Amino acid sequence: MSEKSKFSGCPATGIGSMPGGDAREAAKTVTGSFADGQGMPYLAELPARGPGADMIGRSVGLLVEMYGHVEPSGWRISDRPGRDTRRARSWLGEDLDALEEFTQGYEGLLKVQAVGPWTLAAALELRGGEAMLADAGACRDLAGSLAEGLRAHLAEVRRRMPGADVVLQLDEPSLTAVLLGRVRSASGYRTYRPVDRQVVESALRDVLAAAGEDGTTLVHSCAPEVPVALLRRAGADGVSLDFSLLTEREEEAIGEAVEGGTQLFLGVVPSTDAASGGLSDPGGSVMGVRTLWRRLGLNPGTLAESVTITPSCGLAGASPAYARTALAHSARAARSLADNPE
């Protein structure tokens, strides 16, 4: 590798969401699963609690001078903070309290997640019911508001967990659809125009910069066709994706990312009980990663330092028992990769 990753000492982590509604139990699970250098704990999201705890609602609660409320069709922009925005902020505070309790004295990488500007623009409605994506000026305002809110949020996390090296993850599952003009209108009969790649990249760069000059960032998407090269240009230190959705078309960009020091967060552990088929062999879970490395002609010795193992997506749809198992299995699979890179 020509550059060193900022994620050294991060063999495994989770994506963000967890099942249930108990903040203390979730914090206990994510910190316990990655104790003693086994991976990177994170601020869990618990969407089962309802609107405001969902990924869009949580990020609406972070916005500065921009508010939202829930309509039957989803989240819509408001003039002032109402019950839904207050609820989102209250639950975030509850989750931070729980994480603070279980990270006393912790030193090391600690991840927080927020929805990125383009997935947020695709999901949030303007007052007339169309997506913010339809209004370029609204998208700019949204990115600015999100960046400002994230700066304050990250400062709060650093204040509460002073020994932690806080990592910002932007969740962008709709990013590819935004770039390719696949986001459907409210009626479902048409799609919004593709957004220019330079505009997309610029907004992502501005929001990622909220982490600070020395901050560490990654972008996650569990959709197909993740634009890895664009994310690297926007300043992401890591790219997180569902390994099962990778195709040969993306392999060149993956190889270039590894050579350039970008950390790959590879989702190889199923995120639901039904899809798991039983998790018994950690080595088997990372067999495809070893195969990809060989195909790309990369040095097997770089595997452990270049790759972080994760579930394929968030764990909100899993049972609590399986969520614990999936995180522990991710840590064991990462250890297998380090012990037997070939």
Side-chain angles (χ1 to χ4, degrees), residues 234-249:
D237 300 306
V239 176
S240 171
L241 40 82
D242 180 342
F243 186 73
S244 71
L245 298 178
L246 270 183
T247 67
E248 286 186 20
R249 285 198 305 277

Side-chain angles (χ1 to χ4, degrees), residues 7-336:
F7 291 95
S8 57
C10 179
T13 192
I15 299 301
S17 67
M18 294 288 287
D22 187 329
R24 288 186 77 255
E25 185 60 32
K28 182 180 177 182
T29 298
V30 298
T31 53
S33 298
F34 302 120
D36 305 320
Q38 294 191 82
M40 178 167 56
Y42 56 95
L43 179 63
E45 300 161 347
L46 301 172
R49 291 180 297 197
D54 60 300
M55 61 187 282
I56 299 299
R58 165 159 288 188
S59 296
V60 167
L62 293 171
L63 298 175
V64 172
E65 296 182 3
M66 194 176 277
Y67 313 104
H69 67 276
V70 178
E71 294 277 342
S73 54
W75 281 88
R76 183 170 292 184
I77 289 300
S78 303
D79 292 323
R80 59 186 65 85
R83 179 185 61 188
D84 297 325
T85 299
R86 287 194 294 271
R87 186 190 294 127
R89 291 173 177 173
S90 173
W91 272 328
L92 176 59
E94 185 181 307
D95 294 339
L96 281 169
D97 289 344
L99 186 63
E100 184 178 6
E101 177 185 345
F102 286 98
T103 52
Q104 293 296 310
Y106 174 76
E107 295 182 353
L109 295 171
L110 177 75
K111 180 164 69 72
V112 299
Q113 305 84 217
V115 176
W118 295 107
T119 295
L120 209 51
L124 270 177
E125 295 177 355
L126 297 164
R127 289 174 188 85
E130 290 294 339
M132 291 190 85
L133 195 60
D135 184 328
C139 289
R140 280 193 300 274
D141 292 345
L142 179 65
S145 174
L146 179 61
E148 193 173 339
L150 282 171
R151 277 190 285 273
H153 177 47
L154 293 170
E156 170 76 356
V157 176
R158 289 169 181 140
R159 183 187 67 76
R160 286 171 175 255
M161 297 100 176
D165 182 3
V166 181
V167 174
L168 171 62
Q169 172 182 308
L170 294 183
D171 292 315
E172 280 284 14
S174 299
L175 182 60
T176 301
V178 167
L179 287 166
L180 299 179
R182 294 176 182 167
V183 177
R184 294 205 164 274
S185 65
S187 67
Y189 292 122
R190 62 184 180 84
T191 55
Y192 295 104
R193 275 187 227 164
V195 180
D196 182 87
R197 297 181 83 85
Q198 289 184 316
V199 173
V200 168
E201 185 183 320
S202 176
L204 282 169
R205 184 180 298 109
D206 290 347
V207 177
L208 288 168
E213 196 172 329
D214 298 321
T216 304
T217 60
L218 71 142
V219 178
H220 163 73
S221 173
C222 48
E225 301 174 75
V226 177
V228 174
L230 183 151
L231 297 177
R232 292 180 62 218
R233 290 195 303 273
D237 300 306
V239 176
S240 171
L241 40 82
D242 180 342
F243 186 73
S244 71
L245 298 178
L246 270 183
T247 67
E248 286 186 20
R249 285 198 305 277
E250 287 119 327
E251 288 188 1
E252 184 178 349
I254 292 288
E256 289 175 356
V258 172
E259 293 290 349
T262 301
Q263 189 80 0
L264 296 180
F265 288 71
L266 299 180
V268 299
V269 178
S271 57
T272 60
D273 313 40
S276 70
L279 297 176
S280 57
D281 176 18
S285 294
V286 290
M287 191 182 304
V289 180
R290 294 189 187 99
T291 302
L292 173 66
W293 233 245
R294 284 196 298 273
R295 206 159 55 234
L296 293 175
L298 296 168
N299 177 3
T302 66
L303 253 176
E305 64 192 68
S306 302
V307 169
T308 296
I309 296 299
T310 73
S312 58
C313 207
L315 294 167
S319 67
Y322 180 74
R324 289 191 293 272
T325 299
L327 294 181
H329 188 85
S330 296
R332 286 197 298 271
R335 206 154 52 241
S336 166

